[in-house]
Amino acid sequence: MTGRIIRELAGFYYVYSEETGETTQCRAKGIFRKKGLRPSVGDLVSYSLTNTEDVEGSVDEILPRKNVLGRPPVANVDQVLIVFAGKNPEPNFLLCDKFLITLSQKDIPAALCFNKADITDGERISSYAAIYEKAGLPVFVTSAKEGAGKEELLTFLSGKLTAFAGPSGVGKSSLMNLLSGREIAETGEVSRKTGQGKQTTRASEIYVASPGTYLIDTPGFGSLDIAGLEKEDLALYFPEMEKLIGRCRFNSCAHRQEPGCAVKAAVEEGSIARERYESYCAIYDEIASARKY
């Protein structure tokens, strides 16, 4: 039999069969450990029933993966929706841009969602959205509390397996509850003392929003490292900068201090958001610094 892993908990894998609509609690065969493999939420697997006292089935084989992410730990996603709050907590653009680079490295489509429009000044949240609209990304503004933006987002998610990713406290679980029309994911609050979200999602889990539409709730994170990227290639991962490559005065332009830089000119005229350029500079310096060690 074949199915998809929709949840992992305490060494058990819960495999959902679209054919039967049933979920089977499984253990993974020991051969996976020997091969250094570990099943992930989202994996398509072959499994068999064991009907023993403590477990119903066994995951026998991981079918070929379309893609896999280590953070959040999910496989075979069609797209990732990066969720930030317009306020409480404030959006972290550097974290967002690092994650966009990670997804681009894996050829996974991405979109942005700025939630909590009900408590954020309209002009402010619109300016956040404009940053990434200039980069050519789909952007949604929502309020999980009041339902704003629900229909547009549902249309975007329809028929796909979408991972919701972003820091704790931005409303990922609340959005998933809104989109599914029922309480499927546990929600938390933002600490008044730290301004950070309290972790309610302990592990990635897939929920069925509607037939053929799957949502993955993932644990929030507050930091991200970029691996396997040279600073000379960094601009390739900023679409609004990539299209200007070759228009600078110098072919080896790093888009930092050089005169005649088309990227810096675009930042000054506003066609490239300054926040994105600042992320580029911060990541460039981070990569350059890591090279020294």
Side-chain angles (χ1 to χ4, degrees):
M1 296 183 294
T2 61
R4 187 186 296 273
I5 296 175
I6 62 171
R7 187 184 189 199
E8 177 190 357
L9 181 65
F12 289 102
Y13 296 92
Y14 295 82
V15 181
Y16 173 75
S17 168
E18 285 191 343
E19 184 177 345
T20 66
E22 296 180 349
T23 300
T24 303
Q25 182 191 59
C26 298
R27 289 279 193 187
K29 281 192 170 181
I31 191 171
F32 293 121
R33 275 195 307 273
K34 293 178 182 178
K35 291 183 176 180
L37 294 174
R38 180 175 178 176
S40 293
V41 169
D43 269 329
L44 295 169
V45 298
S46 62
Y47 68 105
S48 55
L49 298 180
T50 56
N51 296 318
T52 56
E53 291 184 3
D54 63 334
V55 67
E56 298 172 296
S58 168
V59 175
D60 303 322
E61 180 186 3
I62 300 172
L63 301 181
R65 289 167 164 167
K66 177 167 63 175
N67 52 52
V68 63
L69 279 169
R71 191 172 186 180
V74 293
N76 296 316
V77 298
D78 293 316
Q79 58 191 12
V80 173
L81 183 71
I82 305 173
V83 183
F84 281 89
K87 180 181 180 182
N88 192 29
E90 298 292 325
N92 183 329
F93 297 118
L94 179 58
L95 178 64
C96 180
D97 294 332
K98 283 185 173 183
F99 194 46
L100 285 170
I101 291 171
T102 298
L103 294 174
S104 181
Q105 287 176 312
K106 296 179 178 291
D107 293 322
I108 299 175
L112 268 290
C113 175
F114 289 99
N115 191 35
K116 301 190 181 181
D118 53 295
I119 62 170
T120 310
D121 176 78
E123 186 175 339
R124 172 184 286 192
I125 204 166
S126 293
S127 70
Y128 294 160
I131 292 171
Y132 293 95
E133 288 169 343
K134 289 178 181 178
L137 289 164
V139 184
F140 302 89
V141 174
T142 61
S143 168
K145 183 177 180 180
E146 297 183 348
K150 174 183 175 181
E151 295 307 319
E152 294 86 351
L153 193 51
L154 271 175
T155 299
F156 178 75
L157 302 172
S158 180
K160 296 184 175 67
L161 174 61
T162 305
F164 282 51
S168 301
V170 298
K172 298 189 299 294
S173 298
S174 296
L175 266 179
M176 294 177 69
N177 290 338
L178 170 71
L179 294 166
S180 65
R182 63 191 190 280
E183 294 291 319
I184 59 174
E186 182 183 356
T187 61
E189 299 176 351
V190 173
S191 167
R192 292 183 181 178
K193 184 176 181 180
T194 66
Q196 301 299 310
K198 298 177 182 178
Q199 185 69 272
T200 55
T201 304
R202 308 295 183 202
S204 299
E205 183 167 358
I206 294 178
Y207 298 97
V208 182
S210 62
T213 300
Y214 300 94
L215 312 178
I216 308 182
D217 196 13
T218 67
F221 57 89
S223 62
L224 191 68
D225 293 324
I226 298 222
L229 184 63
E230 299 292 334
K231 60 182 175 48
E232 291 83 4
D233 296 328
L234 181 58
L236 298 174
Y237 293 91
F238 287 76
E240 66 274 50
M241 298 183 192
E242 181 189 17
K243 65 184 181 182
L244 296 177
I245 291 175
R247 299 186 187 181
C248 299
R249 181 184 300 178
F250 302 106
N251 291 333
S252 60
C253 187
H255 318 301
R256 301 296 301 278
Q257 310 301 328
E258 300 89 340
C261 173
V263 168
K264 290 194 297 179
V267 174
E268 292 303 318
E269 71 180 23
S271 58
I272 291 178
R274 188 168 296 277
E275 292 86 351
R276 286 275 285 172
Y277 180 69
E278 289 172 354
S279 286
Y280 168 85
C281 292
I283 297 169
Y284 187 98
D285 290 341
E286 187 177 309
I287 296 171
S289 179
R291 268 188 176 181
K292 298 177 181 178
Y293 299 97

